[in-house]
């Protein structure tokens, strides 16, 4: 009877067998790789029928363990190329030296004969060398021939035509040499240098000709553009990678130069008619870029599309811009850049069209960057009010900013922001239509390289049995669809929902900025500016609370609204500090708005941010109240604790709500501000510390806050006591601290008796610190010997008790105080001894100590670990 194992056992057996097969396959592949590497230096071509994965190394193969691939020896042609290169350089140097130095000692016939013979020999030798298979030597001599032809041109100009214009002669000579080397390279097709050299020489004829005849700047631009077009044609249809790369580089340089000439002429044109001629140049460059992008590969097609789009914007926008004032010219270019989006309905190939869209985005981004300085001035300008709070209501919004920007030249800034915001808002509202229009550019098109084919059924890396019927062209592809939750639109492409949210976020941010800038440019009254900014904060908070359609994945818009609301609130609050009434009105409204947003928002980070902001605005209001009451900073400090007290009560109400901790921490920051205000007056500082201790003790009532708040309350009470004693100039603090220390130690002993596992820091730490630390502070300034003696004796007893009963608090507190008291008593003698010692001795002793510690580092490390473990075992 056949035994059928249980499914689990059979599955485990199959997994083991598959793992063994994988390991065996990896071993065989490693062996095969080594065999192939061993065969390459000795056997260029495997014998017919020989299996490279068979066992055994071929004759002469080096012994090599499995899994290690031997390094390939350096090719012998490397040394040969070095020698040939050095030889060619030496011959070139010799030819240059002969031409420049020895040329004058020979007659005209001798000069011509020598140069002609050497040049013809250098040109003819590569053909002979190529037939014999010496390609590297032929390349070296071809390079020498190139240099010799340049020297021939120099010699002809210096002897035969010395009075000829240098620029014109250079233009003619470069054209002749370009034609000569093109023919030479085509005749000797195996040489790689002549054709790229011809491309380099072809860059100069038109440019030098334009300079030679003193042509105006437009003609120079046309010469540069014609050269760039020639380079583009060579890059598309040229022979060999070297020729195409050289043409691409030359075309990029010449095309960029032509565009810069056209742009400079367009920007400096005296009027619309003067901008037409450079516009034609730029449009021609745009057409040439489009023609090249139509046939170029993917990356070059996108670059060509971007260049074409930017050139078209500069050409078309430059004509109306020349008729507009300086502050409004950016609007003409922006409208032209936005018009480029019509490319989505054109017949351009996908990658070229994406390049044009990138150019449109670049133009829009440039216009927005131009509008940033005035917007930053509106947001950050109210900071200047901090230097003179409540100095009086300014005349207008612009005077409250304290900015020196030329506002008259920035009149188009809010229009730019509003226009882009409106278009983004429309796209957000009618997103499905936008997706349908952009769909041809979102995925692969017939003009572009398509995605890899779907894997066949059962192919490695697939989970499904087959890829039939609606399978994705590559993993993660869902295309651009307007459906909720659409996935990534291809590799590296954001999903439609993400783009939808980004568009909405841009509309919100730019619309908000446009309204702020409009108020500054119109110089509205100060009260109206405050009311408008506060109202905008309310609108942004409403958008942040609603989530901006978060059910569609548009999470970017509420986040943008949240950030903008906080920034706008800070700006409005600073602006309101110009007058007392405005400060209370604005900060009160802000506190109410953010508190309401915290109540309406769902759980998460936005709700915590709203709550924290409301607490901050409330803290500012308490500070303003102290100023209104005419209180000094230290007198207003207790008043500042009202908001921290409210946060303690609110935390007790919220309990374990995620918002509770941020709110309480913000209250702690308010308490720190109060402490900072009271530092200048010791009695008020003691009062503020005691009140903070009360708040911490109230927080410690809650079990989840007790571990931190309990220690904090004890430390604050002790610190308040010390500050109060120091403020009263008490010279015997023990009279006040011992009555606290004794009952505290008794309470700690009672707790330890009930709970032997309780920490000694909890039981005895506060009581001991209440006396030891103030006494130590006084002992360091006491010239008498009695207090240090008594304090050192008490610290010694406490240290011994801690070591005897294994109590960490007693050992560390007592030992620290004892060490500091001993240091205080020995310090004068140490100073005397140090003064009597030679100056070289302390560094020598320090060096010796370091050597000893370094030599016994491991032992010292073990000692430190043992000490740490011993302290850790104490209670």
């Amino acid at each position: 009877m056949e035994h059928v194992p249980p499914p689990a056992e059979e599955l485990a057996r199959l997994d083991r067998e598959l793992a063994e097969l994988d390991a065996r396959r990896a071993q065989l592949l490693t062996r095969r790789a080594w065999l192939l590497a061993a065969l390459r230096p000795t056997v260029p071509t495997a014998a017919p029928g020989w299996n490279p994965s068979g066992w055994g190394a071929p004759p002469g193969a080096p012994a090599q363990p499995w899994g290690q691939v031997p390094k390939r020896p350096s090719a012998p042609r490397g040394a040969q190329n070095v020698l040939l290169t050095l030889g060619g350089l030496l011959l070139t140097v010799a030819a240059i030296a002969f031409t420049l130095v020895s040329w004058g000692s020979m007659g005209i016939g001798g000069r011509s004969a020598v140069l002609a013979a050497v040049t013809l020999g250098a040109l003819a030798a590569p053909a002979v060398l190529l037939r014999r298979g010496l390609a590297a030597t032929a390349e070296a001599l071809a390079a020498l021939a190139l240099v010799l032809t340049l020297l021939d041109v120099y010699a002809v100009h210096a002897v035969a035509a010395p009075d000829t214009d240098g620029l014109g002669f250079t233009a003619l000579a470069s054209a002749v040499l370009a034609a000569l080397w093109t023919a030479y390279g085509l005749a000797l097709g195996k040489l790689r240098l002549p054709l790229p050299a011809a491309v380099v020489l072809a860059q100069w004829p038109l440019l030098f000709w334009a300079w030679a005849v003193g042509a105006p700047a437009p003609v120079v631009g046309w010469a540069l553009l014609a050269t760039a077009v020639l380079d583009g044609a060579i890059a598309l249809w040229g022979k060999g990678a070297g020729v195409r790369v050289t043409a691409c580089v030359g075309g990029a340089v010449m095309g960029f130069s032509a565009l810069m000439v056209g742009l400079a002429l367009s920007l400096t044109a005296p009027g619309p008619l003067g901008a037409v001629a450079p516009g034609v140049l730029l449009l021609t460059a745009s057409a040439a870029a489009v023609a090249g992008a139509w046939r170029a590969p993917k990356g070059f097609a996108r670059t060509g599309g971007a260049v074409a789009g930017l050139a078209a914007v500069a050409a078309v926008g430059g004509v109306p811009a020349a008729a507009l004032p300086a502050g409004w010219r950016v609007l003409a270019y922006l409208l032209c850049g936005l018009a480029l989006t019509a490319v989505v309905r054109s017949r351009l190939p996908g990658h070229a069209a994406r390049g044009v869209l990138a150019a449109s985005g670049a133009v829009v981004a440039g216009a927005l960057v131009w509008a940033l300085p005035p917007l930053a001035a509106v947001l950050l300008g109210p900071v200047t009010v901090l230097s003179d709070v409540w100095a009086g209501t300014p005349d207008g919004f612009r005077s409250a900013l304290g900015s020196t920007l030329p506002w008259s030249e920035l009149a188009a800034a809010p229009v730019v922001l509003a226009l882009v915001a409106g278009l983004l808002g429309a796209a957000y509202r009618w997103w499905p239509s936008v997706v349908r229009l952009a769909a041809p550019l979102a995925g692969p098109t017939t003009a572009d390289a398509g995605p890899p084919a779907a894997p066949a059924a059962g192919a490695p890396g697939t989970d499904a049995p087959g890829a039939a019927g609606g399978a994705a062209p590559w993993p993660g592809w869902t295309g651009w669809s307007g459906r909720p939750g659409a996935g990534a639109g291809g590799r590296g492409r954001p999903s439609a929902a993400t783009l939808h949210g980004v568009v909405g976020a841009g509309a919100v941010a730019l619309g908000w900025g446009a309204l702020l800038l409009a108020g500054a440019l119109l110089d509205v009254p100060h009260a109206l500016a405050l009311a408008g900014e506060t109202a905008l904060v309310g609108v942004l908070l409403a958008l942040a609370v609603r989530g901006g359609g978060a059910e569609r994945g548009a999470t970017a818009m509420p986040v943008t609204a949240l950030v903008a609301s906080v920034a706008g609130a800070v700006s409005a609050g600073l602006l309101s500090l110009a007058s007392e009434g405005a400060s209370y009105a604005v900060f009160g409204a802000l506190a109410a708005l953010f508190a309401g947003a915290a109540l309406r928002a769902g759980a998460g980070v936005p709700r915590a941010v709203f709550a924290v902001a409301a607490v901050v605005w409330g803290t500012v209001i308490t500070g303003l109240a102290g100023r209104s009451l005419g209180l000094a900073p230290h007198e207003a400090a207790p008043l500042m604790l009202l908001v921290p007290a409210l946060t303690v009560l609110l935390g007790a109400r919220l309990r374990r709500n995620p918002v509770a901790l941020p709110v309480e921490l913000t209250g702690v920051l308010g308490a720190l501000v109060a402490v900072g205000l009271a530092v200048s007056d010791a009695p008020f500082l003691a009062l503020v510390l005691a009140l903070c201790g009360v708040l911490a003790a109230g927080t410690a009532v809650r079990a989840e806050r007790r571990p931190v708040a309990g220690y904090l309350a004890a430390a604050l009470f002790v610190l308040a006591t010390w500050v109060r004693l120091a403020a009263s100039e008490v010279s015997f603090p023990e009279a006040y601290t011992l009555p606290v220390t004794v009952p505290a130690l008794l309470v700690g002993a009672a707790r330890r008796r009930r709970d032997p596992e309780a920490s000694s820091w909890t039981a005895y730490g506060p009581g001991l610190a209440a006396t030891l630390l103030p006494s130590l502070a006084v002992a360091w300034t006491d010239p008498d010997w009695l207090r240090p003696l008594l304090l050192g004796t008490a610290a010694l007893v406490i240290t011994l008790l801690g070591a005897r009963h294994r109590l960490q608090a007693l050992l560390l507190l007592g030992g620290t105080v004892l060490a500091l008291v001993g240091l205080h008593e020995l310090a004068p003698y140490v100073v005397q001894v140090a003064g009597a010692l030679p100056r070289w001795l302390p560094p020598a002793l320090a060096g010796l100590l370091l050597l000893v510690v370094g030599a016994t580092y491991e032992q010292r490390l073990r000692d430190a670990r043992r000490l740490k473990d011993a302290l850790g075992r104490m209670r």
Side-chain angles (χ1 to χ4, degrees):
M1 182 176 180
E2 184 179 359
H3 171 69
V4 178
E9 180 181 350
E10 185 178 1
L11 180 61
R13 184 184 302 172
L14 289 176
D15 289 339
R16 286 195 300 270
E17 292 178 357
L18 288 173
E20 292 174 358
L21 289 175
D22 290 340
R24 180 60 175 165
R25 185 173 184 274
Q27 187 181 26
L28 293 175
L29 288 175
T30 303
R31 179 65 177 176
R32 180 180 183 275
W34 176 81
L35 291 172
L36 289 175
L39 284 171
R40 285 193 188 101
T42 57
V43 184
T45 305
W50 182 77
N51 183 8
S53 62
W55 295 96
Q64 184 76 12
W66 279 34
Q68 298 184 10
V69 179
K71 295 182 179 179
R72 296 182 60 184
S74 59
R77 290 188 178 274
Q80 178 188 9
N81 291 334
V82 171
L83 294 175
L84 291 173
T85 303
L86 291 176
L89 288 175
L90 290 175
L91 288 175
T92 302
V93 171
I96 294 174
F98 170 77
T99 304
L100 298 179
V101 178
S102 302
W103 185 258
S105 61
M106 301 179 64
I108 186 64
R111 301 170 187 174
S112 303
V114 169
L115 270 182
V118 175
T119 304
L120 290 175
L123 289 172
V128 178
L129 293 173
L130 287 175
R131 285 197 296 269
R132 299 195 176 191
L134 301 176
T137 308
E139 291 285 355
L141 288 179
L144 176 62
L146 174 62
V147 177
L148 288 174
T149 54
L150 296 177
L151 293 176
D152 289 337
V153 170
Y154 165 76
V156 169
H157 180 265
V159 176
D163 299 329
T164 307
D165 178 59
L167 290 176
F169 186 84
T170 303
L172 178 61
S174 57
V176 172
L177 288 178
L180 170 65
W181 280 96
T182 300
Y184 186 75
L186 293 175
L188 301 178
K190 293 183 179 180
L191 290 178
R192 290 176 293 180
L193 179 63
L195 289 179
V199 174
V200 173
L201 291 169
Q203 308 300 310
W204 310 114
L206 291 177
L207 180 61
F208 281 114
W209 168 81
W211 285 349
V213 299
V219 177
V220 175
W222 282 105
L224 291 170
L225 180 59
T227 305
V229 171
L230 176 62
D231 289 330
I234 296 173
L236 288 175
W237 296 293
K239 178 182 178 182
V243 173
R244 291 194 294 270
V245 171
T246 306
C248 283
V249 174
V253 174
M254 293 297 176
F256 179 78
S257 302
L259 290 175
M260 290 299 101
V261 171
L263 181 61
L265 293 174
S266 178
L267 292 176
T268 57
L273 292 179
V276 171
V280 173
L281 172 64
L282 292 171
L283 276 180
T284 306
S286 176
V290 168
W294 202 287
R295 298 172 177 83
K298 177 173 63 175
F300 291 99
R302 290 183 180 178
T303 303
V307 171
L310 293 174
V313 169
V316 179
V319 176
L324 294 174
W328 291 91
R329 292 182 178 179
V330 67
L331 192 60
Y333 293 107
L334 175 62
L335 292 175
C336 293
L338 293 174
L340 290 180
T341 55
V343 74
V344 297
R345 306 305 296 171
S346 68
R347 303 176 63 88
L348 274 179
H351 292 295
R354 292 182 195 125
V356 175
L357 286 181
S360 174
V363 172
V364 174
L368 295 180
V369 170
W370 174 82
L372 282 181
L375 181 58
V378 172
L379 289 175
L380 303 178
V383 175
T384 57
V385 182
L386 290 174
S387 60
D388 197 6
V389 177
W390 294 354
T393 303
D395 297 334
F397 187 15
R398 198 184 301 173
S399 60
L401 300 178
S403 176
T404 57
L405 287 176
W407 294 100
S408 59
E409 299 179 6
L410 301 172
V415 179
V416 169
L417 296 179
L419 178 61
V420 180
L423 292 175
L424 291 178
Y428 183 82
R429 173 63 180 83
W430 291 285
W431 184 248
S433 300
V434 174
V435 171
R436 283 196 299 272
L437 289 174
L441 300 181
T445 63
T446 56
D448 304 324
T462 60
D463 297 329
W474 57 72
W477 166 263
T478 58
W480 279 16
S481 66
R483 297 190 306 273
R491 290 172 291 187
R493 297 174 184 167
S495 66
T498 301
L499 292 176
H500 189 204
V502 171
V503 167
V508 169
L510 296 178
W512 169 63
L515 292 175
L516 291 179
L517 267 180
L521 287 166
L522 296 175
D523 199 15
V524 298
H526 183 260
L528 182 58
L530 285 177
E533 285 205 40
T534 308
L536 282 177
V537 171
V539 173
L540 292 171
L541 288 175
L543 288 175
V545 169
R546 283 184 52 200
E551 70 278 359
R552 290 173 290 174
T555 57
M557 193 173 75
V559 171
T560 303
L562 173 62
V563 175
S565 65
V566 175
V570 172
S571 179
L574 293 174
L575 193 66
S576 69
L577 294 177
S579 64
E580 183 176 3
S583 300
Y584 283 109
V586 170
F587 279 105
L590 292 177
L593 287 173
F594 278 88
L599 293 176
R600 295 292 302 274
V605 174
R607 187 176 187 183
V609 173
F610 295 145
V612 167
V615 174
V616 171
W617 309 142
T619 304
V620 174
I621 291 173
T622 57
L624 296 176
R627 184 180 179 88
S628 297
L629 295 174
L631 301 177
H634 64 273
E635 294 174 339
L639 186 63
M640 294 288 293
L641 295 177
L642 286 177
V643 174
L646 292 176
T647 60
V648 171
L649 297 176
L650 186 60
R653 176 70 176 84
L654 296 174
R655 304 296 293 179
R656 297 185 181 276
N657 192 295
V659 180
L661 182 59
V663 168
E664 291 179 87
L665 291 178
T666 309
V668 171
L669 293 178
L672 290 176
V673 173
V675 172
L677 292 175
V679 165
S680 60
D681 189 273
F684 270 93
L685 178 59
L687 174 61
V688 171
L689 289 173
L691 293 176
C692 291
V694 172
L695 296 179
T699 304
V701 173
R702 297 158 52 195
E704 67 274 12
R705 299 285 186 261
R706 188 172 301 147
V708 175
Y711 288 112
L712 182 60
L716 288 171
F717 283 132
V718 172
L719 187 58
T721 303
W722 297 343
V723 172
R724 181 67 260 184
L725 293 176
S728 302
E729 298 182 355
V730 174
S731 58
F732 294 98
E734 293 83 3
Y736 299 90
T737 58
L738 283 175
V740 176
T741 295
V742 173
L745 293 177
L746 294 176
V747 171
R751 179 174 179 182
R752 286 274 298 174
R753 187 175 294 108
R754 289 196 311 270
D755 182 13
E757 299 298 324
S759 171
S760 61
W761 289 100
T762 304
Y764 305 119
L768 291 174
T771 295
L772 290 178
L773 298 183
S775 298
L776 178 63
V778 176
W780 267 72
T781 59
D782 192 353
D784 201 1
W785 59 271
L786 182 59
R787 185 189 303 276
L789 176 62
L790 295 176
L791 181 59
T793 303
L796 177 60
V797 172
I798 293 171
T799 303
L800 295 175
L801 288 175
R804 172 67 179 81
H805 297 285
R806 305 179 64 80
L807 298 176
Q808 191 180 96
L810 275 66
L811 180 63
L812 292 182
L813 278 175
T816 303
V817 172
L818 180 61
L820 291 175
V821 171
L823 178 62
H824 173 265
E825 295 303 310
L826 292 176
Y829 304 102
V830 172
V831 171
Q832 293 179 3
V833 172
L837 292 175
R839 294 190 176 182
W840 58 266
L841 189 58
L845 294 176
L848 182 62
L849 176 62
L850 292 177
L851 288 176
V852 172
V853 172
T856 60
Y857 176 75
E858 294 297 333
Q859 180 62 36
R860 302 287 78 79
L861 195 60
R862 286 193 294 270
D863 294 341
R865 287 182 184 139
R866 282 199 295 269
L867 178 60
K868 177 185 175 183
D869 295 339
L871 288 175
R873 289 192 295 269
M874 292 183 177
R875 289 293 177 185

